[in-house]
Amino acid sequence: MDMEDDKKSTFSTASPEPEVIPVWQEEVQVSKRWRDAGHGVRVHKQTQQSEQEVRQDLSHENIEIRHVPMDQVVNLDAAPTVRQEGDTLIIPITEEILVVEKRLRIKEEIHITKTRQTTVHSETVPLTSETVSIERFDDLASDRTETDSPPNSQ
């Protein structure tokens, strides 16, 4: 059989399924090895919680409104204005009355007094803190002989 006949029989176009030829394939191999670093650290974390009293002065204001009857007649050019007397704001309420002449009569005044009260507020609140301590150690590399095997070795 010559070369041409061999090709014809191997690569026949009459076959319905294509022929698969493996060309290249990757493989992976995983392993562990013991590495003695000689030194290490341990980290210890501690969380503490304590309560601390917090004191703060708190203020609030009260307003008192009083209607003070006046029934006082004044001239138009002497009309009273809003005024402040200490902690009290005084707002005159006027009305016009009809007489032979026009006059202002102070009907009433509104007195507004502001007072301030201070109280001490005390409350206990939780506080959290964390501490970390680091312990340095030797991995016992000096105690190990050449025949010793590392931990968990197979």
Side-chain angles (χ1 to χ4, degrees), residues 20 44 54 76 86 88 110 116-117 129 135 142:
V20 177
H44 302 280
V54 178
L76 284 173
T88 303
I110 297 177
R116 176 170 286 204
Q117 293 178 339
S129 66
E135 174 187 350
S142 60

Side-chain angles (χ1 to χ4, degrees), residues 5 7 10 12 15 48 72 80 83 93 101 103 105 141 145-146:
D5 291 332
K7 285 184 184 176
T10 305
S12 170
S15 173
Q48 297 88 24
Q72 179 182 358
R83 66 187 187 277
I93 306 296
E101 61 184 327
R103 296 183 189 174
R105 176 176 69 121
T145 64
E146 288 183 26

Side-chain angles (χ1 to χ4, degrees), residues 14-153:
S15 173
E17 294 184 23
E19 187 173 339
V20 177
I21 302 172
V23 177
W24 187 61
Q25 179 176 340
E26 287 185 336
E27 292 182 2
V28 67
Q29 187 176 27
V30 179
S31 63
K32 291 194 251 181
R33 63 184 164 132
W34 175 259
R35 180 173 172 232
D36 189 0
H39 300 285
V41 294
R42 281 191 185 101
V43 177
H44 302 280
K45 177 179 164 183
Q46 296 176 337
T47 302
Q48 297 88 24
Q49 198 168 42
S50 63
E51 292 186 354
Q52 181 176 356
E53 184 175 317
V54 178
R55 294 175 58 90
Q56 180 65 44
D57 292 342
L58 303 177
S59 298
H60 65 276
E61 295 178 340
N62 295 324
I63 294 180
E64 175 189 345
I65 299 176
R66 291 183 295 139
H67 291 262
V68 179
M70 296 295 289
D71 199 25
Q72 179 182 358
V73 177
V74 294
N75 291 329
L76 284 173
D77 57 345
T81 59
V82 176
R83 66 187 187 277
Q84 183 81 33
E85 292 182 5
D87 288 337
T88 303
L89 177 66
I90 300 174
I91 303 170
I93 306 296
T94 60
E95 71 178 355
E96 292 181 349
I97 56 172
L98 187 56
V99 282
V100 176
E101 61 184 327
K102 195 188 239 186
R103 296 183 189 174
L104 283 180
R105 176 176 69 121
I106 300 173
K107 182 176 175 180
E108 68 177 332
E109 288 181 335
I110 297 177
H111 294 212
I112 300 174
T113 304
K114 183 186 336 183
T115 60
R116 176 170 286 204
Q117 293 178 339
T118 301
T119 59
V120 175
H121 176 75
S122 181
E123 187 173 325
T124 301
V125 294
L127 300 177
T128 302
S129 66
E130 291 182 347
T131 58
V132 173
S133 64
I134 298 175
E135 174 187 350
R136 297 189 185 277
F137 62 90
D138 189 354
D139 283 342
L140 304 174
S142 60
D143 294 340
R144 198 183 291 154
T145 64
E146 288 183 26
T147 59
D148 287 344
S149 61
N152 296 331
S153 65

